[in-house]
């Protein structure tokens, strides 16, 4: 073992020492210093022997790591160990992928399942949110905005429900203004980082130059509408974050931390930067955490219970209104249809207009009143509006009304129209009757008049009187021409009829002769019977003349049994045949 | 990816913007030139199998109203100095601008481009002058934004100089 110069005792070279003394001294020295020397040798061995050192370190390493964690410095260790662990993993995979795969197998299945579940949950959440939005008033507004701007609805929802979202983060080399690294949030349109970084720096220069800012000062925030650019300055590089919405002030500290971290990690590369950006590729992991976003409280977007109730009530009301409206419209249509079937009404159009039901068409003034029909159909007359053009209808019922209006027939005359032909029947006063044919011909729509059953009043009376007189029978006892008292009374009743007949005949300019015909039964001699029957006729004639009838109008004659009133099958018939009857002969009298 | 910041420098209306317009990627309008005083464009040059992205700072041409903002030169790896061959005065201006760059950021690589080579009949700059500049160590090229002559070459040459190839 070589002597250590440090622990060797200084000896005076000029001192003479005997060999014995030297030996003794050596012994003494050994006695005094040997324990320390051995201890030192053991220590040196521990320091210089790698195996021993490793063994020592292994004894304290776990404790050291535990202490680091207690001191809150675990991240430092992680940062230091990460590259080694990464390269170890890489090497392991390169050597034999199955080792790592086997080790990871138990955790990969659950991890993948969790990832899928998470993705699905997010998908459902965004779907739910979109559904909620589409059903609200605000959702409709956003849908309109999407239509107006031509952007997808999902993007509009995202924009409005976001409090803020960091869309892009640039790491820019300060001196050259070149982009070192750039991260962008999903589904955000990306600009060229080189151009944006350059222009951002140019604007910084422009503002500084224009407003005499000093070289160290930077614009910390640019704002355009809802877009902001936050710039965090560092000695060698700046971070620019493009933010949509209102980021909280606390976000600034994240940018500060990121700038500091990057300067710590890439101090050397930033210093020596000559345009090669690949060393900064790993800065992505420092920038990506800055791509934050915060959505509005979900609660405020959920439909509240009262809104649900309101929506249900509104839906019910809407449904009720639709049903009511459909029913009302159906009633109106039915009314318009029935109106069109009315004689004298032609409906050309009908429908709703400005909250009212409007019906247009042609209408004969004599047709039924649409308003009256409306009331009977249970509809609100104030909601109806009619536009009629007048015309002459040719429907039979209307023609009949028109004829009645124009002719004004007496109650004894009835009118009817069939296929345009006016049928008139009854007894009319002579003056009405006199003007009737001319007036009937003037009625619009009447093409013919049938009046065979229409008679004048005088004529009718004349006919009636004739009937009465013709029906009268004056009977006589057998073989006698004397008027018995009962028959005399009948004759007296007949007298005014005869007088009236003669008067009517006169007014009708007719000459009337009343034949007084005497009859006998068939018993006895016919010549006797002839005489008897003639006597009977004379008796009656004279009785009438006696009571006031003009003789000139009475023509008595006997026909014996030649014109029996009844076949003489029994005594009663024979008795009936012993009588006087009347027949009437008329000739048109010459005008006086 | 290798990126280099370069500047376009020259008098007003020598054709800097026209020179790059057909050969670059741009997202900004020319209006930035008159407002901010600079417009950023991008051009990728391939040099010995390596893509180099040139970020072009097209500076507003100096005139009596506006001076060059030398701050824009900060961090530039090189520049294209442009003069109008049909106007002698722009060449003299270019010489003084080159001096200005040296004072502002030191000596950095550049190429000198005499633009509007297609207008031979109005050419003012004499060949002797060009020779004198070459003698000073300048890379002098005649270019035409109209025909495209030497435009690519100018950028390639500058890139070579910047990379020290």
């Amino acid at each position: 073992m070589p002597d250590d110069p440090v622990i060797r005792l200084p000896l005076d070279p000029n001192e003479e020492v005997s060999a014995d003394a030297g030996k003794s001294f050596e012994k003494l020295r050994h006695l005094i210093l040997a324990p320390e020397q051995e201890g030192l040798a053991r220590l040196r061995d521990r320091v210089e022997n790698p195996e021993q050192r490793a063994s020592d370190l292994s004894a304290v390493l776990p404790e050291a790591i535990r202490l680091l964690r207690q001191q809150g410095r675990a991240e430092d260790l992680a940062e230091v160990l990460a590259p080694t662990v990464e390269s170890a993993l890489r090497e392991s995979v390169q050597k034999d992928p199955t080792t790592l795969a086997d080790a990871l197998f138990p955790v990969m299945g659950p991890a993948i399942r969790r990832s899928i579940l998470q993705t699905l949950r997010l998908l459902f959440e965004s779907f739910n949110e979109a559904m909620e939005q589409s059903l609200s008033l605000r959702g409709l507004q956003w849908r309109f905005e999407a239509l107006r701007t031509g952007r997808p609805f999902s993007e509009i929802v995202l924009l409005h429900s976001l409090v803020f979202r960091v869309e892009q983060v640039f790491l820019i080399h300060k001196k050259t203004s070149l982009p070192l690294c750039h991260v962008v949030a999903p589904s955000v349109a990306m600009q060229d980082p080189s151009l944006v970084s350059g222009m951002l720096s140019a604007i910084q220069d422009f503002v500084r130059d224009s407003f005499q800012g000093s070289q160290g000062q930077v614009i910390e925030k640019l704002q355009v509408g809802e877009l902001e650019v936050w710039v965090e300055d560092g000695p060698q590089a700046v971070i620019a974050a493009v933010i949509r919405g209102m980021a909280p002030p606390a976000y600034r500290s994240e940018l500060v931390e990121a700038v500091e971290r990057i300067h710590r990690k890439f101090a050397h590369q930033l210093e020596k930067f000559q345009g090669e950006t690949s060393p900064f590729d790993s800065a992505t992991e420092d920038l990506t955490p800055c791509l934050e976003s915060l959505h509005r409280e979900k609660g405020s977007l959920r439909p509240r219970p009262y809104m649900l109730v309101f929506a249900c009530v509104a839906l019910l009301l809407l449904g009720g209104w639709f049903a009511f409206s459909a029913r009302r419209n159906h009633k109106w249509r039915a009314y318009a249809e029935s109106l069109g079937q009315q004689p004298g009404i032609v409906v050309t159009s009908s429908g709703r207009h400005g909250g009212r039901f409007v019906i247009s068409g042609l209408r004969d003034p004599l047709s039924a009143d649409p308003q009256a029909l409306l009331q009977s159909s249970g509809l609100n007359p104030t909601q109806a509006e009619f536009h009629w053009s007048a015309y002459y209808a040719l429907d039979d019922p209307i023609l009949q009304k028109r004829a009645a209006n124009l002719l004004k027939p007496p109650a004894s005359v009835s009118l009817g129209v069939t296929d345009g032909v006016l049928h008139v029947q009854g007894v009319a006063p002579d003056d009405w009757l006199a003007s009737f044919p001319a007036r009937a011909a003037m009625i619009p729509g009447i093409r013919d008049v049938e009046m065979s059953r229409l008679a004048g009043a005088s004529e009718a009376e004349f006919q009636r009187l004739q009937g009465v007189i013709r029906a009268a029978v004056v009977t006589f006892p057998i073989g006698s021409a004397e008027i018995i008292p009962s028959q005399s009374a009948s004759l007296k009743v007949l007298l005014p009829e005869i007088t009236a007949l003669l008067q009517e005949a006169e007014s009708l300019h007719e000459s009337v002769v009343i034949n007084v015909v005497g009859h006998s039964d068939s018993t006895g001699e016919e010549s006797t019977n002839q005489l008897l029957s003639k006597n009977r006729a004379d008796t009656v004639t004279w009785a009438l003349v006696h009571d006031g009838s003009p003789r000139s109008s009475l023509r008595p004659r006997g026909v014996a049994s030649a014109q029996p009133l009844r076949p003489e099958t029994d005594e009663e018939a024979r008795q009936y045949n012993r009588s006087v009857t009347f027949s009437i002969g008329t000739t048109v009298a010459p005008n006086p | 990816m290798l990126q280099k910041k370069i500047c376009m420098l020259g008098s007003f209306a020598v054709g800097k913007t026209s020179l790059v317009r057909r050969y670059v990627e741009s997202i900004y309008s020319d209006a930035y030139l008159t407002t901010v005083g600079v417009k950023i464009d991008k051009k990728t040059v391939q040099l010995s199998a390596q893509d180099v992205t040139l970020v072009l700072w097209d500076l507003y041409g100096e005139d009596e109203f506006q001076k060059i903002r030398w701050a824009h030169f900060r961090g530039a790896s090189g520049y294209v100095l442009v003069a109008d061959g049909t106007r002698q005065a722009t060449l003299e201006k270019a010489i003084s601008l080159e001096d200005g760059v040296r004072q502002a950021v030191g000596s950095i690589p550049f190429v000198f481009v005499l633009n509007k080579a297609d207008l031979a009949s109005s050419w003012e700059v004499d060949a002797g002058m060009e020779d004198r500049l070459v003698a000073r160590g300048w890379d002098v090229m005649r270019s035409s934004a109209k025909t495209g002559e030497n435009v690519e070459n100018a950028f390639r040459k500058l890139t070579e100089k910047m990379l020290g190839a």
Side-chain angles (χ1 to χ4, degrees):
Chain A
M1 188 175 75
D3 286 347
D4 193 319
V6 180
I7 59 170
R8 180 187 285 273
L9 285 173
L11 294 173
D12 187 347
N14 300 323
E15 196 182 347
E16 279 210 15
V17 180
S18 69
D20 286 347
K23 272 185 188 168
S24 302
F25 179 73
E26 212 33 62
K27 198 178 273 180
L28 180 68
R29 196 173 68 121
H30 179 77
L31 282 171
I32 296 169
L33 297 176
E36 281 80 10
Q37 277 181 338
E38 280 168 16
L40 280 172
R42 272 200 307 276
L43 275 175
R44 187 165 53 199
D45 186 44
R46 285 181 86 154
V47 170
E48 286 179 354
N49 184 347
E51 283 176 17
Q52 185 61 46
R53 218 164 57 215
S55 162
D56 291 348
L57 193 60
S58 70
V60 297
L61 194 60
E63 182 61 18
I65 291 173
R66 198 177 57 78
L67 274 173
L68 267 177
R69 199 178 296 137
Q70 275 177 357
Q71 290 162 4
R73 290 167 57 212
E75 279 180 19
D76 289 354
L77 183 70
E79 205 169 334
V80 171
L81 283 179
T84 316
V85 173
E86 279 167 9
S87 48
L89 285 173
R90 198 176 301 122
E91 202 169 318
S92 162
V93 170
Q94 276 171 356
K95 210 195 285 174
D96 183 10
T98 53
T99 313
L100 203 60
D102 286 350
L104 286 176
F105 177 75
V107 295
M108 271 171 74
I112 291 169
R113 274 197 295 279
R114 234 175 82 183
S115 164
I116 291 172
L117 276 175
Q118 178 77 358
T119 311
L120 281 176
R121 195 176 57 79
L122 285 174
L123 190 72
F124 276 118
E125 268 182 14
S126 60
F127 178 74
N128 283 345
E129 197 166 297
M131 282 301 287
E132 283 164 10
Q133 297 309 330
S134 15
L135 290 174
S136 67
L137 180 67
R138 191 164 47 175
L140 289 176
Q141 281 173 348
W142 293 351
R143 213 164 261 289
F144 177 71
E145 186 180 336
L147 269 177
R148 190 168 51 79
T149 56
R151 290 194 284 189
F153 177 60
S154 56
E155 191 181 322
I156 301 287
V157 170
L158 198 65
L159 285 181
H160 285 285
S161 58
L162 268 177
V163 175
F164 81 97
R165 178 171 68 167
V166 182
E167 294 191 339
Q168 301 185 61
V169 180
F170 297 85
L171 177 67
I172 303 168
H173 187 244
K174 218 169 150 183
K175 189 177 166 196
T176 59
S177 314
L178 292 172
L180 300 171
C181 190
H182 173 234
V183 291
V184 58
S187 70
V188 168
M190 192 182 87
Q191 279 85 36
D192 188 296
S194 308
L195 302 183
V196 173
S197 301
M199 212 67 215
L200 207 57
S201 306
I203 290 167
Q204 294 262 12
D205 290 343
F206 168 71
V207 175
R208 252 197 309 267
D209 285 6
S210 306
F211 303 105
Q212 284 85 43
S214 76
Q215 187 58 41
Q217 290 174 317
V218 291
I219 301 172
E220 289 187 342
K221 193 193 276 189
L222 299 169
Q223 188 168 3
V224 186
E226 57 185 6
L227 209 67
E228 289 183 351
V229 182
W230 287 22
V231 180
E232 187 52 45
D233 190 41
Q236 302 285 343
V238 296
I239 287 182
V242 182
I243 303 166
R244 193 175 289 279
M246 296 278 290
Y251 180 67
R252 172 70 68 180
S253 61
E254 289 196 33
L255 293 182
V256 173
E257 277 172 28
V259 165
E260 287 170 357
R261 201 164 50 241
I262 285 166
H263 276 82
R264 203 165 52 232
K265 270 173 77 173
F266 300 99
H268 179 69
Q269 292 92 324
L270 285 170
E271 186 76 36
K272 302 288 177 203
F273 180 67
Q274 287 293 324
E276 182 54 57
T277 57
S278 50
F280 298 93
D281 288 349
S282 62
T284 311
E285 62 203 46
D286 297 292
L287 297 183
T288 308
C290 300
L291 287 176
E292 279 188 14
S293 66
L294 179 67
H295 282 265
R296 228 176 277 284
E297 286 273 325
K298 289 282 170 60
S300 64
L301 295 174
R302 292 240 161 79
R304 298 183 178 93
Y306 74 84
M307 281 178 75
L308 208 64
V309 171
F310 175 77
C312 285
V313 170
L315 219 64
L316 275 173
L317 287 176
L318 205 67
W321 186 82
F322 269 120
F324 171 74
S325 177
R327 191 175 142 72
R328 195 181 50 183
N329 281 345
H330 175 74
K331 277 173 106 174
W332 276 110
R333 276 196 299 276
Y335 166 71
E337 202 172 315
S338 72
L339 206 58
Q341 287 165 357
Q342 287 289 326
I345 292 179
V346 181
V347 175
T348 54
S349 73
S350 65
R352 286 214 152 270
H353 191 73
R356 292 164 74 79
F357 200 82
V358 181
I359 297 179
S360 308
L362 305 171
R363 178 174 173 254
D364 191 294
L366 297 174
S367 64
D369 181 9
Q371 283 284 1
L373 289 170
L374 195 59
Q375 272 161 353
S376 65
S377 61
L379 290 163
N380 183 359
T382 58
Q383 287 188 341
E385 192 176 314
F386 297 106
H387 297 286
W388 298 118
S389 299
Y391 85 116
Y392 272 134
L394 299 181
D395 304 86
D396 288 345
I398 297 294
L399 286 176
Q400 186 171 330
K401 274 191 183 178
R402 192 177 299 143
N405 275 1
L406 291 173
L407 298 172
K408 294 188 175 54
S412 56
V413 172
S414 67
L415 302 176
V417 177
T418 310
D419 296 334
V421 178
L422 177 64
H423 298 269
V424 193
Q425 59 182 347
V427 177
D430 296 338
D431 52 347
W432 185 88
L433 190 61
S435 66
F436 167 75
R439 288 195 295 148
M442 300 291 283
I443 299 170
I446 295 294
R447 56 183 179 83
D448 203 359
V449 181
E450 201 285 305
M451 51 186 292
S452 59
R453 294 165 73 188
L454 177 66
S458 305
E459 173 70 21
E461 181 63 7
F462 184 58
Q463 294 295 337
R464 188 188 69 81
L465 291 167
Q466 282 191 36
V468 170
I469 293 165
R470 280 198 191 101
V473 178
V474 181
T475 54
F476 289 85
I478 190 163
S480 163
E482 292 292 321
I483 299 171
I484 60 173
S486 65
Q487 295 302 304
S488 172
S490 307
L491 210 56
K492 281 203 191 310
V493 172
L494 195 62
L495 188 69
E497 308 286 341
I498 291 171
T499 310
L501 178 74
L502 294 174
Q503 281 171 357
E504 288 294 337
E506 195 178 351
S507 70
L508 290 168
H509 310 298
E510 291 199 35
S511 175
V512 173
V513 174
I514 300 169
N515 298 305
V516 183
V517 184
H519 303 272
S520 69
D521 60 23
S522 56
T523 56
E525 285 294 324
E526 190 60 16
S527 57
T528 313
N529 285 342
Q530 175 64 43
L531 190 62
L532 181 60
S533 62
K534 178 67 169 75
N535 284 344
R536 284 171 176 164
D538 286 341
T539 310
V540 169
T541 300
W542 283 114
L544 289 170
V545 170
H546 179 264
D547 287 341
S549 292
R551 174 66 186 87
S552 57
S553 300
L554 301 172
R555 299 281 169 79
R557 64 187 172 98
V559 293
S561 61
Q563 294 171 18
L565 301 183
R566 290 178 185 173
E568 285 183 3
T569 52
D570 55 15
E571 179 50 31
E572 193 184 349
R574 265 196 294 279
Q575 186 180 346
Y576 198 73
N577 282 342
R578 296 190 285 267
S579 58
V580 166
T581 59
F582 305 89
S583 70
I584 294 156
T586 54
T587 54
V588 178
N591 282 334
Chain B
M1 187 171 67
L2 186 58
Q3 301 193 58
K4 293 288 179 188
K5 171 181 175 178
I6 66 167
C7 295
M8 301 293 293
L9 187 65
S11 300
F12 180 69
V14 293
K16 296 185 297 297
T17 305
S18 308
L19 212 56
V20 298
R21 188 176 290 140
R22 283 166 59 190
Y23 296 92
V24 300
E25 273 177 61
S26 186
I27 59 171
Y28 303 111
S29 81
D30 293 350
Y32 284 81
L33 273 173
T34 44
T35 51
V36 184
V38 64
K39 183 166 84 86
I40 317 287
D41 301 311
K42 192 173 97 170
K43 175 152 182 69
T44 303
V45 174
Q46 201 181 37
L47 202 70
S48 48
Q50 187 185 18
D51 280 341
V52 182
T53 302
L54 303 181
V55 179
L56 267 65
W57 288 50
D58 185 3
L59 306 185
Y60 185 81
E62 185 168 274
D63 57 20
E64 63 263 47
F65 305 111
Q66 198 169 334
K67 294 284 177 203
I68 297 285
R69 278 188 218 282
W70 293 113
H72 291 326
F73 259 87
R74 194 164 29 85
S77 299
Y79 63 102
V80 180
L81 185 62
V82 188
D84 179 353
T86 65
R87 287 188 291 153
Q88 178 70 29
T90 63
L91 186 140
E92 282 148 20
K93 183 70 195 172
I95 292 170
S96 78
L97 285 173
E98 192 267 343
D99 193 42
V101 175
R102 253 186 294 116
Q103 285 178 23
V105 294
S107 284
I108 56 171
F110 75 99
V111 289
F112 178 57
V113 168
L114 273 167
N115 198 25
K116 306 193 186 174
D118 52 295
L119 299 174
S121 57
S122 337
W123 199 256
E124 273 190 8
V125 175
D126 63 288
M129 187 65 192
E130 288 175 60
D131 291 341
R132 280 197 294 281
L133 291 173
V134 172
R136 284 171 67 172
W138 286 28
D139 281 295
V140 182
M141 293 181 167
R142 287 194 182 190
S143 71
S144 166
K146 191 173 177 183
T147 63
E149 178 190 342
N150 268 340
V151 179
E152 290 277 3
N153 283 342
F155 288 113
R156 180 171 294 278
K157 182 72 197 171
L158 178 63
T159 311
E160 284 172 1
K161 287 178 81 172
M162 288 190 299
L163 298 188

